[in-house]
Amino acid sequence: MSSHDVSQAAAEAAARTQDAVDSRRLNDAIAELAGFGGRSDGGVARETLTPLDVEARRHLVGRARALGCSVSVDTCGNLFFRRAGQQADLPPVLTGSHIDTQPVGGKLDGAYGVIAGLEVIQALNDAGVATRRPVEVVVWTNEEGSRFGPGAMGSSAFAQPERLAGYRASRDAEGVTFGDALDATLAQMPDVERTALGHAVDSCVELHIEQGPVLEDANVPLGVVTGIQSVRWFSVTVSGAAAHAGTTPMEVRRDAMRAALELAGHLYARGDAMRASGLRMTLGRWRVGPNSINTIPGEVEFTVDARCVDEDVLTRFEAALRDAVASLDAADGFTAQVQSLFTRATTHFPLPMTALVERACARASANAGEGAPIEVTSGAFHDAMYVADLCPTAMIFVPSRSGISHNAAEYTEPHQLYLGAQALAYVVAELACR
Ligand code: GLV
Ligand code: MN
Ligand code: MN
């Protein structure tokens, strides 16, 4: 076949696969997965490598095998469901996302991309499409980073396996290491083939909810993601002196909480001043020692999450943060330190991949009588940002109601979820048939 014939055949297979996606089956499967850790408020609490995560993984392994996939797990716990291609030795087209949640998350953040990946496999089966390359659905370990920092550990270790050794030492709030939790999870999957971390991949596309308001405001169901904004995480520790709350005169106190709050006030003011440049800043986790009602806090640690599309803005914010911490450190009676936990520069997805996503989204939206897709930048980070280091990568977004996620109220219309899976099916099938 000429290259024109190959592209023509790939586009036809993509259209047939897109048309075989089943909305009911997709939405039922999302609801089923949400049962693992489901809460009465509609949210899901399924942090990484917990017993619920293991149960959910086992559920997905069963589903994937029923679809005819072979299943493997790598040394970071990333799970792969592979539908064979006509040329088994070619690197696969990868799709998928994560199934871990925030301490309280929704049904869709991550889970949607995994379930939609399995729906694509089902659609390929139903449409009778034999792809040249294998198709692999991945479940990345610990994308959220809420239990063990940093986030997107599985995909980052996949992109650079030597990172795993450092990640294994990361501890959760109870002192459990990522390594121990990982080994316990792997021990419960003895029937799943173990593979090395970081096999070759041809290309990758991740489907995700937007988690922001842009698509809803534009009233369109599908977004072509052009890139992911830059992120920097820090931990700030302020030490003073713990002392009795009732007996210590106010003027001699070295209250670490008071100093930390003043520092936080300064950071919020800087953040506000840089808001017009697109900076987003969050002081999300606080640890107070000894955390007692009648003891003056002796040590306070808080985290800083700073994001922006413009790297220079983040660099200026980081400089302001380090200056403020250094001034407090120089003050009498206090020490203060800042530690960098995670840095990731802006990700730009390659044009041929965004063009393919655009075509796939345009076809799905037009067939449904919906508005044409628009380009968006991701405010959240995603596993795709690390895979983008390895191979041509892209993302597709569907709207999030009121832009809400990392919250039990996270919601996307079932019809929009369907269109997203249709767009995904087109992209995966076309890439795998090339
Ligand atoms: C991922 O959940 C992020 O924090 O962007
Ligand atoms: Mn996510
Ligand atoms: Mn998330």
Side-chain angles (χ1 to χ4, degrees):
M1 276 208 274
S2 72
S3 67
H4 175 265
D5 292 343
V6 171
S7 334
Q8 186 69 24
E12 275 163 23
R16 273 197 291 135
T17 310
Q18 181 169 72
D19 294 341
V21 169
D22 185 295
S23 181
R24 174 84 177 269
R25 191 168 61 197
L26 171 79
N27 281 285
D28 285 354
I30 290 169
E32 201 177 354
L33 181 58
F36 298 91
R39 292 161 46 96
S40 57
D41 60 3
V44 179
R46 189 175 58 229
E47 279 196 286
T48 195
L49 305 182
T50 54
L52 281 167
D53 181 24
V54 174
E55 273 186 56
R57 285 163 174 262
R58 296 224 56 88
H59 164 74
L60 293 174
V61 167
R63 282 209 56 209
R65 285 190 173 137
L67 291 174
C69 294
S70 55
V71 179
S72 62
V73 65
D74 68 22
T75 50
C76 195
N78 300 312
L79 261 176
F80 298 90
F81 307 140
R82 177 182 284 229
R83 182 181 190 265
Q86 288 168 321
Q87 285 180 249
D89 52 332
L90 287 180
V93 173
L94 193 65
T95 187
S97 191
H98 60 98
I99 62 162
D100 62 313
T101 72
Q102 289 285 313
V104 178
K107 298 180 174 72
L108 299 170
D109 177 359
Y112 171 48
V114 171
I115 294 297
L118 289 174
E119 176 59 31
V120 171
I121 303 260
Q122 177 85 66
L124 285 164
N125 290 352
D126 290 356
V129 171
T131 57
R132 205 162 84 84
R133 296 174 180 282
V135 171
E136 231 170 39
V137 177
V138 58
V139 181
W140 298 113
T141 297
N142 187 28
E143 190 274 349
E144 293 292 358
S146 52
R147 181 175 177 203
F148 301 104
M153 256 188 202
S155 48
S156 130
F158 184 83
Q160 220 173 291
E162 56 276 20
R163 288 177 177 140
L164 179 60
Y167 291 166
R168 286 185 61 91
S170 174
R171 285 182 192 275
D172 71 5
E174 266 68 57
V176 177
T177 64
F178 177 78
D180 285 347
L182 176 61
D183 294 345
T185 297
L186 290 171
Q188 291 180 71
M189 319 186 80
D191 57 321
V192 176
E193 185 202 341
R194 298 283 180 91
T195 56
L197 196 47
H199 55 267
V201 175
D202 169 73
S203 49
C204 174
V205 55
E206 181 174 358
L207 172 65
H208 206 282
I209 54 168
E210 183 203 328
Q211 309 180 270
V214 177
L215 293 176
E216 185 179 66
D217 288 351
N219 193 29
V220 296
L222 294 171
V224 180
V225 186
T226 54
I228 299 177
Q229 72 175 342
S230 173
V231 52
R232 298 188 193 187
W233 282 3
F234 306 93
S235 154
V236 175
T237 307
V238 178
S239 303
H244 197 289
T247 60
T248 315
M250 293 303 281
E251 59 278 14
V252 302
R253 293 178 177 215
R254 291 155 57 204
D255 184 336
M257 181 52 116
R258 185 169 181 162
L261 289 177
E262 280 169 14
L263 178 58
H266 177 76
L267 295 177
Y268 281 123
R270 285 307 293 238
D272 286 344
M274 297 171 87
R275 190 192 296 162
S277 313
L279 180 78
R280 293 183 180 147
M281 185 210 72
T282 306
L283 313 183
R285 186 174 68 210
W286 289 74
R287 289 205 181 103
V288 182
N291 207 22
S292 161
I293 189 168
N294 51 355
T295 299
I296 297 162
E299 186 170 287
V300 172
E301 184 215 332
F302 65 92
T303 54
V304 183
D305 173 315
R307 309 203 197 194
C308 195
V309 179
D310 185 343
E311 204 67 45
D312 292 346
V313 172
L314 278 187
T315 300
R316 275 191 281 128
F317 177 77
E318 177 171 347
L321 165 67
R322 290 189 182 278
D323 280 353
V325 171
S327 312
L328 177 55
D329 192 46
D332 258 2
F334 292 98
T335 60
Q337 282 165 356
V338 58
Q339 191 195 348
S340 171
L341 300 177
F342 178 32
T343 300
R344 180 71 199 184
T346 305
T347 304
H348 301 281
F349 294 132
L351 209 57
M353 290 296 283
T354 55
L356 172 57
V357 167
E358 213 278 328
R359 258 195 300 142
C361 292
R363 185 177 184 276
S365 319
N367 287 348
E370 299 272 359
I374 58 169
E375 291 193 344
V376 288
T377 306
S378 178
F381 61 73
H382 297 284
D383 294 302
M385 89 190 163
Y386 283 114
V387 188
D389 291 344
L390 301 174
C391 65
T393 296
M395 287 192 78
I396 305 166
F397 275 175
V398 295
S400 292
R401 186 171 66 190
S402 307
I404 290 176
S405 78
H406 286 191
N407 185 311
E410 170 189 287
Y411 182 79
T412 302
E413 297 289 343
H415 184 62
Q416 297 169 335
L417 295 172
Y418 165 62
L419 295 181
Q422 279 206 314
L424 180 71
Y426 190 102
V427 175
V428 168
E430 176 154 336
L431 290 169
C433 287
R434 280 181 185 174

